[in-house]
Amino acid sequence: MTSAIAKKKHAKYFQRILQLVPSRLAMFDRSRLTFAFFAISGLDILNCLDEMSHDEQLQAIEWIYRLQVSDSGYRSGFEPSTTIPKEAPNYQCGHLAMTYTGLATLLILGDDLSRVDRKSLIKGISACQNPDGSFTATRVGCESDMRFLYCACCVSAILDDWSGINKQKAIDYILKSISYDGAMGQGPGLESHGGSTFCAVASLFLMGELHNVLSKEQLNRLRHWCLMRQDGGFQGRPGKPADTCYSFWIGATLQLLGVSHLSDPECNRKFVLTTQNTLIGGFAKFEISQADTDPLHTYLGLSGLSLLGEADLQAMNAALNISQRAYNRLQDIHKRWRSKSEHS
Ligand SMILES: [Zn+2]
């Protein structure tokens, strides 16, 4: 097993995803923007964003803005792909995960978000919150759970505007989703899971409420649950095998809870590196001899390695799941927005 990250191969892998998605992934057209986020944010974390030419980056920015559905009230947001033509406006509808990954990708590409219709997107978020505080992805009937609550928090944090969320209801939903073992499920009464626990903890962190609404004991039980998920790499639930993506989901949660130093980074790193394909790039969920690579595990594998402080990867902002460099750019944008609103 190699102990190095095959950086160049992974950069090529992401470039291929941007050019041509393999036919076995064609069903993911409905989340094409998320794939673009994995590839572009992945190149950013690899410090290889300049492998996209300036023109390619501008084209990507234009494509993402074409996905913005604005001034459509409850349907406002970003769509997954341009498959639905603009000539059929009644079928266009934002999706919270696409709105989050669209805005994040614009930031990573160096866009200043000046063409984002912030007011309209906030209306779109607000329309997706249910009376119990959870969020649906769209307003046109679909599942609701912790994932979309997290996406709503990310969009609010990026837009520096929380008026689209009833925070108290969102917090109540998170608190009701704490399971008997101290971690969070997708909703009340559901089994604790590494992904939903990240979404819940990161949402509270983004709201600035992590240490206000959880007691010391609740925080310690959460820390304990997350630390106990390490089995070489990290597993998503007790009794499950370690899986590459949880190096990010659990790794980021541990960082937000301030205890990543209590895990074993070397064991985790060793596991994640067994899941990389060193010939053609990409990471799989399990050891590479047992599973195929895919864009999600490739992105989250690299993000998990970045959280371990890997020297030649960009540092991550754990709560928003983007590079710290992109996050710093966001803070500059917020400063400009705030001084503009003070002077208007
Ligand atoms: Zn996974």
Side-chain angles (χ1 to χ4, degrees):
M1 189 205 75
T2 174
S3 62
I5 303 172
K7 271 188 67 171
K8 284 217 158 77
K9 304 280 171 136
H10 301 315
K12 283 267 174 287
Y13 178 90
F14 285 134
Q15 281 173 301
R16 282 200 302 279
I17 294 292
L18 287 174
Q19 304 299 336
L20 189 72
V21 173
S23 59
R24 70 185 164 85
L25 300 178
M27 60 187 168
F28 291 108
D29 184 64
R30 62 176 185 262
S31 48
R32 187 181 288 191
L33 183 49
T34 306
F35 274 44
F37 166 74
F38 291 146
I40 293 171
S41 194
L43 286 170
D44 185 27
I45 286 161
L46 284 165
N47 271 316
C48 290
L49 204 50
D50 54 6
E51 300 217 1
M52 281 178 84
S53 69
H54 185 61
D55 272 359
E56 283 171 333
Q57 295 193 24
L58 291 180
Q59 277 171 21
I61 290 173
E62 293 309 313
W63 176 71
I64 295 169
Y65 273 117
R66 284 212 302 280
L67 301 174
Q68 182 175 213
V69 181
S70 67
D71 281 332
S72 301
Y74 69 91
R75 288 205 310 267
S76 298
F78 282 70
E79 298 185 290
S81 82
T82 45
T83 307
I84 297 170
K86 288 277 179 211
E87 295 72 45
N90 290 340
Y91 292 96
Q92 292 187 323
C93 189
H95 180 292
L96 276 178
M98 304 305 141
T99 309
Y100 155 49
T101 47
L103 291 171
T105 312
L106 286 172
L107 265 178
I108 293 161
L109 289 167
D111 182 73
D112 64 2
L113 307 186
S114 58
R115 285 185 277 161
V116 170
D117 188 338
R118 286 149 64 198
K119 280 207 174 94
S120 171
L121 294 193
I122 293 294
K123 267 190 234 160
I125 295 179
S126 171
C128 289
Q129 189 165 23
N130 297 314
D132 68 358
S134 67
F135 280 80
T136 50
T138 71
R139 219 31 249 173
V140 286
C142 73
E143 56 198 338
S144 66
D145 56 44
M146 202 64 80
R147 291 171 303 170
F148 305 119
L149 193 158
Y150 167 67
C151 292
C153 288
C154 288
V155 175
S156 303
I158 293 173
L159 298 180
D160 196 23
D161 184 342
W162 288 84
S163 62
I165 294 187
N166 181 325
K167 274 192 185 179
Q168 192 51 56
K169 282 191 171 181
I171 290 168
D172 288 346
Y173 182 80
I174 294 172
L175 295 180
K176 282 184 190 150
S177 304
I178 300 176
S179 184
Y180 68 91
D181 56 10
M184 286 89 162
Q186 287 291 359
L190 299 177
E191 183 186 10
S192 300
H193 184 280
S196 43
T197 298
F198 166 78
C199 289
V201 170
S203 297
L204 290 176
F205 181 89
L206 290 168
M207 285 189 253
E209 300 287 352
L210 182 58
H211 295 276
N212 295 336
V213 299
L214 295 178
S215 67
K216 242 187 186 164
E217 195 198 331
Q218 282 175 313
L219 285 164
N220 282 338
R221 290 190 78 208
L222 250 177
R223 290 176 176 123
H224 181 259
W225 188 90
C226 289
L227 286 166
M228 293 306 285
R229 300 287 67 75
Q230 184 158 23
D231 179 18
F234 284 96
Q235 57 185 197
R237 283 175 285 168
K240 291 279 183 180
D243 171 339
T244 313
C245 66
Y246 295 103
S247 288
F248 179 78
W249 301 129
I250 302 278
T253 310
L254 287 171
Q255 193 183 98
L256 295 173
L257 293 168
V259 285
S260 33
H261 59 286
L262 298 180
S263 66
D264 184 337
E266 203 38 53
C267 262
N268 184 18
R269 182 179 191 275
K270 247 188 199 164
F271 166 75
V272 175
L273 289 180
T274 66
T275 71
Q276 72 171 336
N277 186 322
T278 52
L279 287 178
I280 55 168
F283 287 72
K285 63 195 291 191
F286 302 135
E287 207 181 304
I288 194 64
S289 58
Q290 296 165 18
D292 286 332
T293 60
D294 65 76
L296 177 137
H297 286 89
T298 304
Y299 177 63
L300 293 175
L302 285 166
S303 309
L305 288 170
S306 159
L307 290 175
L308 299 178
E310 204 69 38
D312 50 355
L313 296 179
Q314 273 289 318
M316 293 290 295
N317 178 280
L320 284 177
N321 192 0
I322 55 176
S323 70
Q324 191 58 33
R325 176 168 57 190
Y327 180 71
N328 293 344
R329 199 175 288 139
L330 176 64
Q331 287 186 306
D332 290 341
I333 292 173
H334 286 176
K335 269 184 218 151
R336 278 205 295 278
W337 285 347
R338 284 173 193 174
S339 80
K340 219 174 164 185
S341 72
E342 274 166 24
H343 293 103
S344 63

